[in-house]
Structure formats: C-alpha cells, structure tokens
C-alpha cells in the first residue's frame, strides 16, 4: 500500500483551505443588519438595560446566560454595530468546523485502529474527517445559525457540545494508553455545563457521551458498564436543564402548556415533527427552497405522518444494523436522531420548523454520509493516489454548488425587504412576511407601501390583530383619526389584551381634547400591562387635564413605586403640590 502523505492530508495545507472556504461562504454578511428576533433585543429596546453587567444578564435569562453574556461582550465593545456580532458568529461557526474535523479524526483513528472491516480498504477513511468538516462549513442549511445573529445560541451551544465530546474522547484515549489525563475530563465537564447554560438542546450531551463511549471506547454493553463510574460524572450535568425549568428559570420551557393549546397539541406537534425531520434530511441532501418562515402543515393524526415515520424508522434501523458493519456511519445516524430529539419532540415550540435546528444534527448526517461513501471510493481502486484523486474530485463537485448556494442564501439576509420578500414568496399564506415588509416600509416612511403590505397580511389572516394595529398607526401618521380608531378597535376585537391599541385610542382622544374617553382607554391599557410606566404617565396626564388632581396624584405616586427615579412623575407631583398650596 502506498503510505505517502499528500498535501491535502496535512493540517498545514488543509486548515487554511477550510478557513478560506468558510470565509468565502460568509464574507459578505458582516455588515448585514439586525433581523427578526435581533430587533427585539437591539432595535426595539435599549440593550444597555439588560446587558450592562453579568449579574443583570443572569437575571434576564439564567438558562441562556452564556448566550446572553456573549451578546453583552459584543455590546460592551461595539454597541449596536452589527459587524462585531457577525464576526463572532462566524468565528464560532469556524471553530465548530474545526471541532467537527478533529472529532471525526479522533473517531476514525480509534475505529481504524481496532476495525478490520471496510476501513481496512486503503487509507481512504483518513480523508473522511476533512470532507465532513468541509460539508459542515459550506452547507447552506447552516446559514440561519450563522448569519442570523440571534441564533448564536445554536452555534455556541454546538461549540461547547462538540468540545465536550472531543475532550471526553481524548480523555478516554489517554486512559487506554495507561496515562489518564483527568484535566481533559474536568474541562469536558465544564464545557458541558457551559452548553447547558447556552441552549436547552445540550440536555442530550450526557447521552451522547455514553453513546460515543459505547461505540468507540468500551465497544460493548459490558465494557460500558465498567466505565459507568466515569460517565456518571455527566449525570449532574444532565439535571441542569430540568432543574432550571423546575425553578422557573428556563423561560423557553415555562410556556409549553400554553403552546400546546395555542400552537399544537403535544401529539400533533410530535406527528408534525416526523414530517419536519424528513424535511431537514431532504434539505441536507438537496438544499433548495430554504425559508425563514415555512408555512408548514400541521399533522393532526398518525395518518398524516405515516410515510415519514416509516422512512425515519427505516433510517434508524439502518443505523442499528450498521453497528457491526460500519460503526462510524451507525454512530452518525444515531447522533443525528439524538441531536434532533429535543426540538422535534412532544414539547411544542412556537414554530413547527426552523432550519437552525438541523445545525448540530447535521454533524451526524455528514459523518454518516462520508463513512458510507469512502469505502465505496476505496473499492474503485486500491491505489492510494487513485483514491485521493477520486475523493478530491468528488468533494469538489459537491462543494462548489454548496458554496454558491450558501452565498446566494446569505444574500437574502442583506436587508429586511429581501429577507421578508423571500418569505412572502415562499409562504404566501402566512402573514408574518407581509407584516415585516410593511414594517420595513413604515420605518422608511413609505406609508402607502406599508399600508399595502399590512392589508395583504389582514387578507391572508383575517384574525391577525397586529396587521390591523399597524394599519391604525399608519392612519394616525396621516391624521386620519377616525380610520385609525376603526383599525385599533378591529385589532382589539381579535386580541382583546392588546394594550398598545388601547393606548393609541387614548392618544387620539387626548389630541381631540376628550380627556374622559382618553382616561378610560388608558385605564384599560394599565389594567392589561400594570408594569408599563408609559401607560400610567399618560393616564396621570389625562386625569390631570380632566381636573381629577387626586386621581392624577395617585397615578403618579404609583409610577414612583415602580420607578423611584422617574423625574417626570416627581415633577408632576411637585407641580400639583405647589398648585394646591397656592390656593
């Protein structure tokens, strides 16, 4: 056998190649604006209030502390300039690419050392880790986890997850060699904890550790039992997410029951996820028709998902069958199902499908793909040089269209109009795309265009309150108060707890000089959102104008109980006291 080392096999050449390909995919994204949920955090609110220090960040969302802390560091350095956020997102993705590469190298090395199966065919399998990393780097399905700033939670959690697995394997190998390096185990556990405090998908990590040990270290159930004293160190980590949820610190899980009533019942969500997982697999194999906001049909019974369930069972059975024939492919398939199991389970999430949810599971998919492909290439020729040429040609043919597709997909994210126009085109039956296009036009003061898009949203979703609310705001800007009140009332007829609509109606009545009606609207707004100081201040001014000084003073005092340093409320109270003393 030809054991000559070729340039592509060396880290010195391959590592820069991986970095260049990754950068080529995302180089045009670093100045893209905040999008979607990014805006809630960085545009529609003042981030200095909840990103000012680590203690405040912990109080905002303890279950995703590491995620928010990374945003805090970005904010402390560069404010709301998106460049820094995109650079960090890309750096995390690039780090994950190298972790996939190194993890696969560890697995292939351990398996090739012990196996005489298909991996004995030449040295072809040593290229699988690099090729898996390249697919992970360049695949367009990863764009949502990289280009979409908010989804740093996914890529950052994957980073700690993969790092923990890699360090555990390194520790296990050091044990096999008779020189256990316990510091590797300690850092692996710390990385596992960091993953748990980044995103709840990391709850499967202790199970992944047990599986990777079973496959490549202990290699049998009896061997796994002997190693349980080591694996048991990860059990307390497994309890982090459930404990945070039980204490009410996991905001993403506290409203599961509400979503079961509002989005989908537990059984319906599970049935739908069987179809969704097949969609993820299709997108990994053929990434065409990507969409930020899929109009995905709800599967209400087993009959609605039976073909998908049969296919998934067949793939899972293939993974089990491959255990003694191609252990790396078997592990990749099982890991895919494990990693996808949290967000595609019986616990409903707000959206039935999101592409970033396939980010971590794709590691298993790419590992399985190359573990099945490389032995086939190895059988074509036994010459190492011939295998190298075929393998490089094959990965090149795959990578070029993937890089082009990733760059094209990233272009959709360059501004709000391009992103949401893509959504509106692909999901014409959902109002979200139309609403966001309308919001973009409204920010640019193109009220006519905004009105057109909000009307489209109201047409496709007649019960959508927000579309009517935004139409009301357009009419307020135009000075058409009658039409504005009509739209705000239409919004309230669809969502009676929309406090902002009551506030807007109150503002219109105040401008008209009808302070009693204004006060009634403000009272409704305050009752719906007691913590909103703005509503209370407006109510206080309305009561003051109506001549109800006592009621006005009571309202301003309630403001000071919420915000003791509120200067406007303090001045209003002092003015009233001065007026009363002068009588």
């Amino acid at each position: 056998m030809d054991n000559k080392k070729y340039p592509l096999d060396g880290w010195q050449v391959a590592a820069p190649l991986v970095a260049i390909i990754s950068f080529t995919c995302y180089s045009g994204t670093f100045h893209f604006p905040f999008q979607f949920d990014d805006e809630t955090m960085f545009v529609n609110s003042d981030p200095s209030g909840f990103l000012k220090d680590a203690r405040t960040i912990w109080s905002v969302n303890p279950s995703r502390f590491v995620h928010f802390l990374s945003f805090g560091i970005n904010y402390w350095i560069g404010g709301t300039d998106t460049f820094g956020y995109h650079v960090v997102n890309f750096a995390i993705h690039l780090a994950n690419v190298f972790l996939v590469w190194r993890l696969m190298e560890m697995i292939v090395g351990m398996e090739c050392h012990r196996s005489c199966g298909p991996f004995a065919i030449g040295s072809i399998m040593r290229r699988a880790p690099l090729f898996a990393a390249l697919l992970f780097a360049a695949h367009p399905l990863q764009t949502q986890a990289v280009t979409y700033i908010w989804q740093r939670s996914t890529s950052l959690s994957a980073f700690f997850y993969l790092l923990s697995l890699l360090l555990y394997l390194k520790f296990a190998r050091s044990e096999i060699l008779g020189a256990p390096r316990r510091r590797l185990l300690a850092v692996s556990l710390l990385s596992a904890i960091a993953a748990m405090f980044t995103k709840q998908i990391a709850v499967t990590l202790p199970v992944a550790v047990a599986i990777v040990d079973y496959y490549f270290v202990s290699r049998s159930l009896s061997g796994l039992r002997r190693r349980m004293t080591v694996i048991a160190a990860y059990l307390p980590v497994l309890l982090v997410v459930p404990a945070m949820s039980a204490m009410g610190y996991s905001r993403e899980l506290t409203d599961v029951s509400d979503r079961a009533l509002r989005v989908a019942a537990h059984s319906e969500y599970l049935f739908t996820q069987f179809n969704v997982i097949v969609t993820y697999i299709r997108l990994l194999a053929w990434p065409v028709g990507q969409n930020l906001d899929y109009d995905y049909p709800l599967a209400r019974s087993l009959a609605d998902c039976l073909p998908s369930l049969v296919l998934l069972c067949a793939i899972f059975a293939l993974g089990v069958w491959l255990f003694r024939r191609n252990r790396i492919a078997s592990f990749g398939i099982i890991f895919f199902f494990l990693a996808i199991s949290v967000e595609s389970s019986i616990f409903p999430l707000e959206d039935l499908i999101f592409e970033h949810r396939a980010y971590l599971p794709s590691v298993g998919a790419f590992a399985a793909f190359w573990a099945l492909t490389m032995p086939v290439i190895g059988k074509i020729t036994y010459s190492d040089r011939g295998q190298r040429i075929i393998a490089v040609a094959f990965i090149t043919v795959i990578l070029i269209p993937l890089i082009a597709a990733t760059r094209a997909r990233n272009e959709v994210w360059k501004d709000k109009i391009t992103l949401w126009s893509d959504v509106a085109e692909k999901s014409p039956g959902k109002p979200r795309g139309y609403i966001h296009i309308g919001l973009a036009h409204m920010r640019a003061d193109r009220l006519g265009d905004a009105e057109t898009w909000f009307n489209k949203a109201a047409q496709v979703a007649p019960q959508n309150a927000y579309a009517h609310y935004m139409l009301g705001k357009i009419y307020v800007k135009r000075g058409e108060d009658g039409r504005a009140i009509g739209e705000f009332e239409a919004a309230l007829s669809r969502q009676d707890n929309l406090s902002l609509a009551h506030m807007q109606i109150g503002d219109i009545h105040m401008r008209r000089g009808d302070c009693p009606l204004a006060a009634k609207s403000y009272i409704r707004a305050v009752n719906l959102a007691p913590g909103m100081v703005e509503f209370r201040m407006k109510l206080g001014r309305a009561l003051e104008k109506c001549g109800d000084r006592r009621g006005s003073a009571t309202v301003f005092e309630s403001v000071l109980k919420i915000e003791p340093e509120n200067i406007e409320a303090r001045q209003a109270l002092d003015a009233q006291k001065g007026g009363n003393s002068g009588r």
Side-chain angles (χ1 to χ4, degrees):
M1 184 186 297
D2 182 7
N3 291 319
K4 181 181 177 180
K5 295 289 184 181
Y6 292 97
L8 186 61
D9 299 318
W11 274 76
Q12 297 89 340
V13 174
L17 174 66
V18 169
I20 290 169
I21 288 175
S22 302
F23 182 76
T24 301
C25 291
Y26 292 95
S27 59
T29 67
F30 295 153
H31 289 285
F32 284 2
F34 291 120
Q35 295 276 22
F36 202 15
D37 286 342
D38 301 341
E39 293 189 294
T40 303
M41 188 170 192
F42 295 105
V43 178
N44 300 334
S45 58
D46 181 8
S48 63
F50 45 85
L51 295 179
K52 63 180 180 180
D53 53 45
R55 181 179 296 179
T56 305
I57 292 170
W58 174 265
S59 67
V60 170
N61 194 338
S63 66
R64 295 199 179 187
F65 172 73
V66 176
H67 174 214
F68 278 78
L69 180 63
S70 73
F71 281 153
I73 294 170
N74 264 132
Y75 182 73
W76 301 335
I77 295 173
T80 56
D81 183 353
T82 60
F83 178 79
Y85 298 87
H86 283 297
V87 168
V88 171
N89 273 28
F90 172 73
I92 293 169
H93 178 59
L94 184 59
N96 286 337
V97 172
F98 284 105
L99 283 174
V100 171
W101 185 1
R102 187 65 185 125
L103 181 63
M104 280 288 292
E105 275 192 337
M106 285 284 298
I107 288 173
V108 168
M110 295 177 81
E111 183 64 7
C112 288
H113 178 71
R114 299 194 182 200
S115 174
C116 296
F119 306 103
I121 303 172
S123 58
I124 187 67
M125 277 306 297
R126 75 167 181 260
R127 298 183 180 94
L130 171 60
F131 291 172
L134 288 172
L135 277 190
F136 186 83
H139 201 285
L141 196 60
Q142 316 295 39
T143 52
Q144 197 174 103
V146 183
T147 309
Y148 180 14
I149 293 172
W150 180 258
Q151 283 312 323
R152 178 184 299 177
S153 61
T154 297
S155 59
L156 188 57
S157 179
F159 169 79
F160 290 118
Y161 195 115
L162 295 171
L163 179 61
S164 182
L165 276 182
L166 175 61
L167 292 174
Y168 177 79
L169 275 180
K170 280 178 166 288
F171 166 74
R173 187 177 66 174
S174 71
E175 280 192 312
I176 293 171
L177 296 175
R181 299 167 62 188
R182 299 197 178 276
R183 279 182 292 184
L184 290 173
L185 180 63
V187 179
S188 174
L189 287 167
L190 287 174
S191 185
I193 293 170
M196 297 291 178
F197 282 97
T198 305
K199 193 174 184 180
Q200 291 84 350
I201 58 172
V203 72
T204 62
L205 178 53
V207 181
V209 168
I211 291 174
V212 80
D213 187 290
Y214 174 61
Y215 268 78
F216 306 110
V217 183
S218 58
R219 302 180 68 83
S220 67
L221 289 176
S222 59
L224 184 64
R225 282 194 294 269
R226 288 193 295 270
R227 292 188 54 78
M228 281 307 295
T229 53
V230 175
I231 297 172
Y234 291 84
L235 291 180
V237 179
L238 181 63
L239 300 177
V240 170
V241 172
M244 296 292 284
S245 301
M247 292 186 291
Y249 291 145
S250 183
R251 297 189 176 184
E252 290 75 23
L253 298 178
T254 52
D255 58 346
V256 165
S257 298
D258 173 63
R259 289 195 293 265
L261 296 173
R262 181 170 46 84
V263 179
H266 296 290
S267 59
E268 292 175 336
Y269 187 80
L270 178 62
F271 294 150
T272 305
Q273 289 310 300
F274 293 139
N275 293 331
V276 167
I277 295 172
V278 171
T279 300
Y280 291 144
I281 294 171
R282 194 271 299 169
L283 286 168
L284 285 168
W286 187 250
V288 174
Q290 288 183 253
N291 190 357
L292 174 63
D293 188 22
Y294 287 83
D295 190 0
Y296 211 85
L298 190 67
R300 300 190 179 278
S301 67
L302 188 60
D304 293 336
C305 65
L306 190 58
S308 295
L309 179 58
V310 170
L311 176 61
L312 294 176
C313 287
I315 295 173
F316 188 84
L318 174 65
V320 175
W321 181 79
L322 285 169
F323 178 72
R324 297 193 182 280
R325 296 162 181 83
N326 189 327
R327 194 164 289 202
I328 296 176
S330 174
F331 172 76
I333 292 170
I334 301 302
F335 181 84
F336 172 84
F337 282 106
L338 176 67
I340 205 74
S341 64
V342 175
E343 293 178 306
S344 291
S345 63
I346 63 170
F347 302 110
L349 299 177
E350 196 67 40
D351 293 273
L352 298 175
I353 177 173
F354 256 140
E355 291 172 3
H356 65 262
R357 294 173 187 167
Y359 186 81
L360 180 61
S362 71
V363 176
F366 297 142
F369 174 76
W370 286 112
L372 291 170
T373 301
M374 286 304 185
V376 175
I377 295 174
K379 289 180 180 179
I380 295 174
T381 173
Y382 288 99
S383 163
D384 191 66
R385 179 180 177 84
Q387 291 174 2
R388 179 176 64 90
I389 292 171
I390 294 172
V392 170
F394 187 52
I395 187 64
T396 302
V397 168
I398 294 175
L399 274 181
I400 290 175
L402 285 181
I403 293 170
T406 298
R407 289 186 62 86
R409 181 60 190 165
N410 276 328
E411 279 300 299
V412 172
W413 289 82
K414 67 181 179 181
D415 61 51
K416 293 171 179 58
I417 298 294
T418 56
L419 177 62
W420 293 105
S421 294
D422 181 73
V423 169
E425 179 184 347
K426 294 172 180 174
S427 300
K430 293 189 74 172
R432 188 184 279 171
Y434 304 129
I435 286 173
H436 279 274
I437 297 172
L439 288 171
H441 285 298
M442 197 164 177
R443 290 191 188 98
D445 209 30
R446 296 187 292 266
L447 300 184
D449 292 330
E451 181 182 12
T452 299
W453 288 101
F454 289 135
N455 273 318
K456 285 185 178 181
Q459 288 167 10
V460 300
Q463 293 305 310
N464 187 280
Y466 192 72
H468 289 282
Y469 172 76
M470 293 309 301
L471 284 169
K473 290 193 70 173
I474 288 173
Y475 298 139
V476 166
K477 285 195 170 190
R478 288 178 176 171
E480 302 176 36
D481 289 347
R483 294 185 71 183
I485 289 176
E487 291 297 339
F488 290 135
E489 289 177 345
L492 289 167
S493 69
R494 291 156 174 81
Q495 184 181 335
D496 58 5
N497 65 344
L498 194 60
S499 58
L500 287 170
H502 287 297
M503 185 201 74
Q504 293 285 352
I505 293 173
D507 288 347
I508 291 172
H509 288 310
M510 278 295 286
R511 285 197 302 273
R512 289 178 167 182
D514 195 339
C515 56
L517 282 179
K520 287 182 180 179
S521 293
Y522 292 142
I523 288 171
R524 294 189 183 103
V526 169
N527 289 337
L528 288 169
M532 285 292 291
V533 167
E534 181 186 6
F535 296 168
R536 290 178 182 268
M537 289 300 300
K538 288 176 180 287
L539 174 60
R541 294 299 187 192
L543 292 174
E544 186 177 42
K545 192 170 183 180
C546 289
D548 185 359
R549 288 181 173 270
R550 180 175 296 178
S552 175
T554 301
V555 172
F556 290 135
E557 287 169 356
S558 73
V559 169
L560 291 173
K561 288 180 180 178
I562 299 172
E563 289 184 0
E565 304 301 322
N566 190 297
I567 297 175
E568 187 181 356
R570 177 65 62 190
Q571 289 175 341
L573 275 174
D574 291 344
Q576 286 191 5
K577 289 177 183 178
N580 290 333
S581 63
R583 284 194 178 91

